Amino acid sequence: MKSFYLIILFNFSFTFGQIQVKYKQQTIENLSDVKDIELKQEFELINNHITFYDLTIKDKESIYQLKPTINNKQGASNFTITSSEEENVYYTNITQGNYIFYTTYNDKKILIKDQLEPLQWILTKEESSILGFTARKATLKNGTTLIDAWYTPELNYKNGPQNFWGLPGLILKVEANAFDSNGNLSNTMFIEAVEINLKDKTKWKIPTKGEVMTKAEYKDYQDKQYQIYLENNKNTIDLKID
């Protein structure tokens, strides 16, 4: 009888007080239609850039934060990309069902506060191993984006990197393929855990500085700023030679 209870105990997944997962993230643009050689080279440099994030989870709260990086690729003279950990911070509270995203746009600090979007994951039986944990595959279609995610039930958290959440286990890997309105692949985003600290004691705080907007308001703001950019750069002078 005692051995029976022990078997049940060790089949349970584990939830720790606070853990931290380090992810590497990369977005690769589809360059098949880019004809300009110089422009294509610039995009290739961006495609080769890898950023790192820390996901810190405590209970039902988590924060996904960009870590400072410097990228000097050999062969790319004086090409340097730097990023600040004060940019692109995702805070989620699964219990309350909301999130906060801190970002900057045109040097304007913005706090996007809104409800977490329910994600209709489809669970599969496909399995893999990531950092020593058994991971299972789930798929999702979100608009024109097709997403594959790998989660581990061995770590009993519904959290994940960026705004991916809601699976029965911590999400360790994501591949998101975005398509345009014609069905052509626009870009692919890769996110993968590279390190897990099960006894993390990092202090973190919820972002509070910036103009508060909803997701829809932020989209409107971006659209208006883009229209202003187009107007400022539109050539309105027609030269005619008789």
Side-chain angles (χ1 to χ4, degrees), residues 25-31 38-51 71 73 76 79-81 187-188:
Q25 183 168 322
Q26 182 178 18
T27 299
I28 298 180
E29 299 289 337
N30 182 10
L31 305 179
E38 291 186 2
L39 182 61
K40 192 169 186 177
Q41 289 176 340
E42 291 181 9
F43 272 116
E44 287 174 346
L45 289 174
I46 295 173
N47 282 352
N48 288 331
H49 181 55
I50 298 175
T51 53
N71 184 19
K73 290 294 182 181
F79 181 76
T80 302
I81 296 176
N187 61 67
T188 302

Side-chain angles (χ1 to χ4, degrees), residues 94 116-125 136-142 145-152 157-177 189 191:
I94 293 177
L116 283 170
E117 179 184 357
L119 301 177
Q120 305 301 318
W121 294 103
I122 298 174
L123 306 184
T124 75
K125 295 182 179 179
R136 297 176 182 173
K137 183 179 179 181
T139 63
L140 169 70
K141 183 177 182 181
N142 190 3
T145 303
L146 300 179
I147 303 165
D148 291 339
W150 295 86
Y151 67 97
T152 176
Y157 298 94
K158 295 183 180 295
N159 312 71
Q162 210 175 89
N163 54 352
F164 300 105
W165 72 289
L167 283 169
L170 178 63
I171 298 174
L172 298 179
K173 184 178 180 180
V174 174
E175 179 180 328
N177 293 287
M189 179 175 65
I191 307 176

Side-chain angles (χ1 to χ4, degrees), residues 79-93:
F79 181 76
T80 302
I81 296 176
T82 61
S83 56
S84 167
E85 61 182 333
E86 295 181 353
E87 299 173 353
N88 299 338
V89 180
Y90 295 82
Y91 164 80
T92 61
N93 189 315

Side-chain angles (χ1 to χ4, degrees), residues 47-98:
N47 282 352
N48 288 331
H49 181 55
I50 298 175
T51 53
F52 291 89
Y53 284 77
D54 284 342
L55 174 66
T56 308
I57 307 171
K58 185 177 181 181
D59 298 325
K60 300 296 182 180
E61 296 179 279
S62 67
I63 192 161
Y64 187 65
Q65 189 165 8
L66 179 67
K67 305 306 294 181
T69 57
I70 297 177
N71 184 19
N72 282 320
K73 290 294 182 181
Q74 196 171 21
S77 177
N78 297 324
F79 181 76
T80 302
I81 296 176
T82 61
S83 56
S84 167
E85 61 182 333
E86 295 181 353
E87 299 173 353
N88 299 338
V89 180
Y90 295 82
Y91 164 80
T92 61
N93 189 315
I94 293 177
T95 300
Q96 297 179 3
N98 56 29

Side-chain angles (χ1 to χ4, degrees), residues 206-221:
I206 302 172
T208 57
K209 297 181 180 180
E211 182 177 337
V212 178
M213 301 181 184
T214 65
K215 182 179 179 181
E217 290 170 341
Y218 180 59
K219 177 64 167 59
D220 290 340
Y221 173 75

